[in-house]
Amino acid sequence: MDWAVSELCNGQIRLHDDLHRSGKSYASLLASNSSLDFSIDDLPSPVFENGFVSIQISEAPYLRGLDKCKTNLIGRLVLPPKAVTLKTHELSTQLIKLWPSLQNWSVSPLGRGFFMLHFESLDDMQKVWSLGTIRLQQGFLRLIKWKPGFSPSSYKNSFAQVYVRFWDLGFDYWEPQTLYEIARGVGMPLKIDPKTLDRSVGLYARMLVDVDFSQDLPSTICVTRVDGSHFLVGVEFESIPVTCGNFGIIGHHISSCRALRSHASKFEEKRDGRSRSRTSKRRTLRRARIVDRAPEIVKTPSQPQIENDMRPTCAGDTCCSCETAVAPNEQLLIVPDSNHINNVLRGFAFTRLLDCFDDDHRQGIKR
């Protein structure tokens, strides 16, 4: 046991000596056997500025990462109501069947129904992107061009699933494929209403469609056949979701936009140059200064002296209360607060009452 401890200590001493001679740190020695093409000792140091921990990254590795993402696509999974959410391996299995000729591509979950699709070549990415939307066994996968800094939390969604009624449509156009093709003029069709499938209601054909509400909504669609004939079909959206007019996000009105309120509050704090907490602290300090403020001493010309203990002047060369040097013909006037004024007035009234007793006593002695 002692031998093992001795060997361990000797090994640490030799390691320390090697590090001391080489001038390297423990972290750099541990990273020497890894596959990193940079040194840990060269990493930038964080700084604290503007209330955040800030770190500056190197430009060359970022550009390499940006180049690798040029063949990426963003897939947003859109499922019909009450459908079971697809897992990553389930989505990958369905896409493999749809893209048998593609090789070396991968799917990575991003959260909130978004997936990252990475392709080996730019040609493969463009072939898939040209499809626009991939129909799955349930729902579909909408493809979005990847942009630098993409985040599912900051993505502005302008799509919503609504039921659309198609008026003045004859029964000969109620075949499922024909209905899907007509509904494609409004958005991405998801499913046909059961009453439309069994033709129990013939006033209109009803379908669930994924609509982009950032675009103008059509009120009519022109349906054209191969022979060149065409006719108009009326379009009615059963419900239009609330859209934020400022950010274009589905789900809330601009009057209840939390992002807009956050921007407004930050703008007000920046305009005022102070926060609420700082304002409250300043008010507290101001009140403390008012309470603890001492009476100011102001020099004034000589005034008639009042012979009592509460007199505000001193007849000598030095003020007895504040030890402030004054001239023989110069007096000190105290500018007090309201409480001090009340106390002085009470003292004057009591002094005046004593003077009245003294006058009566002197007149009695004279008599």
Side-chain angles (χ1 to χ4, degrees), residues 349-360:
F350 182 72
T351 303
R352 183 59 181 167
L353 182 61
L354 292 178
D355 292 340
C356 292
F357 281 113
D358 290 341
D359 292 342
D360 295 339

Side-chain angles (χ1 to χ4, degrees), residues 14-88:
R14 288 194 299 271
L15 177 61
H16 183 271
D17 293 338
D18 294 340
L19 291 173
H20 181 71
R21 288 193 298 269
S22 62
K24 296 182 179 180
S25 63
Y26 284 98
S28 61
L29 184 63
L30 293 176
S32 60
N33 297 327
S34 64
S35 59
L36 298 177
D37 57 353
F38 58 90
S39 175
I40 296 181
D41 293 334
D42 297 335
L43 296 179
S45 300
V47 295
F48 188 80
E49 58 181 2
N50 300 326
F52 298 95
V53 176
S54 177
I55 189 116
Q56 184 178 3
I57 63 174
S58 303
E59 190 68 14
Y62 170 75
L63 294 178
R64 291 196 300 267
L66 184 64
D67 186 68
K68 293 179 180 179
C69 294
K70 290 182 178 180
T71 58
N72 289 356
L73 287 176
I74 303 297
R76 183 168 182 266
L77 188 61
V78 180
L79 299 175
K82 299 181 180 180
V84 180
T85 303
L86 289 178
K87 297 181 180 180
T88 305

Side-chain angles (χ1 to χ4, degrees), residues 43-168:
L43 296 179
S45 300
V47 295
F48 188 80
E49 58 181 2
N50 300 326
F52 298 95
V53 176
S54 177
I55 189 116
Q56 184 178 3
I57 63 174
S58 303
E59 190 68 14
Y62 170 75
L63 294 178
R64 291 196 300 267
L66 184 64
D67 186 68
K68 293 179 180 179
C69 294
K70 290 182 178 180
T71 58
N72 289 356
L73 287 176
I74 303 297
R76 183 168 182 266
L77 188 61
V78 180
L79 299 175
K82 299 181 180 180
V84 180
T85 303
L86 289 178
K87 297 181 180 180
T88 305
H89 69 277
E90 296 174 345
L91 176 62
S92 178
T93 302
Q94 295 190 32
L95 294 179
I96 289 175
K97 297 178 180 179
L98 296 175
W99 305 333
S101 60
L102 296 182
Q103 302 294 330
N104 299 328
W105 59 273
S106 60
V107 181
S108 302
L110 299 178
R112 299 190 176 187
F114 290 88
F115 294 87
M116 178 73 75
L117 303 175
H118 179 72
F119 299 91
E120 185 180 15
S121 64
L122 191 62
D123 293 338
D124 293 343
M125 186 271 290
Q126 292 177 347
K127 289 179 182 178
V128 175
W129 190 25
S130 62
L131 301 177
T133 301
I134 308 300
R135 179 160 295 280
L136 305 174
Q137 295 178 359
Q138 284 189 334
F140 57 91
L141 186 71
R142 180 184 293 113
L143 300 178
I144 307 170
K145 182 68 173 67
W146 178 86
K147 295 181 180 180
F150 174 83
S151 175
S153 59
S154 60
Y155 176 73
K156 298 179 180 179
N157 180 33
S158 59
F159 291 84
Q161 302 176 13
V162 296
Y163 276 98
V164 182
R165 299 178 181 181
F166 298 94
W167 295 84
D168 303 325

Side-chain angles (χ1 to χ4, degrees), residues 208-275:
L208 181 65
V209 185
D210 190 66
V211 183
D212 184 4
F213 285 91
S214 63
Q215 307 295 328
D216 295 334
L217 302 180
S219 58
T220 56
I221 292 179
C222 181
V223 180
T224 305
R225 295 183 57 188
V226 179
D227 58 2
S229 60
H230 60 275
F231 61 95
L232 298 179
V233 176
V235 178
E236 178 187 357
F237 298 88
E238 293 189 358
S239 61
I240 297 179
V242 179
T243 307
C244 178
N246 189 67
F247 294 96
I249 302 175
I250 293 293
H252 66 271
H253 194 265
I254 187 173
S255 60
S256 59
C257 181
R258 291 181 294 180
L260 189 61
R261 291 179 182 178
S262 176
H263 285 291
S265 61
K266 291 180 180 179
F267 175 76
E268 290 179 358
E269 291 181 0
K270 185 177 181 181
R271 181 187 61 185
D272 297 340
R274 59 188 180 183
S275 62

